[in-house]
Amino acid sequence: MMLYELSEGYLLAAEPLRKRLRELRQSLKACEDALDRAQLRHEIAYLSGILTQCRELAELTAHYYERGFYRNEKYTL
């Protein structure tokens, strides 16, 4: 398996995260309890980080072998 083939998997994994984040943000707008709002914000922050990583890794693996492609410093040794 080549790295560019992995990028599709990262994009597929990101889709349910996007949907869940959309649901959580809607719930946050409707929520009135302070404790529940805090928990929703925490989950949104956590899933947002995972979604960001999925996007970054999809980009990295899709273009890894291209000359001149800027590689994110977080994912280099």
Side-chain angles (χ1 to χ4, degrees), residues 8 14 18 20 24 30 35-37 39-40 47-48 53 68:
E8 295 173 18
R18 275 190 215 103
R20 180 67 179 143
L24 289 171
L35 182 58
D36 289 340
R37 289 179 63 80
Q39 290 174 340
L40 286 169
L47 292 179
S48 294
Q53 284 184 339

Side-chain angles (χ1 to χ4, degrees), residues 35-76:
L35 182 58
D36 289 340
R37 289 179 63 80
Q39 290 174 340
L40 286 169
R41 282 192 203 106
H42 177 74
E43 190 171 353
I44 288 169
Y46 181 73
L47 292 179
S48 294
I50 295 172
L51 180 59
T52 299
Q53 284 184 339
C54 281
R55 289 180 183 152
E56 290 171 349
L57 290 170
E59 180 76 11
L60 175 68
T61 55
H63 303 285
Y64 186 81
Y65 298 109
E66 295 174 9
R67 285 183 181 248
F69 174 70
Y70 170 77
R71 289 176 181 85
N72 191 325
E73 293 175 4
K74 287 196 301 189
Y75 305 108
T76 58

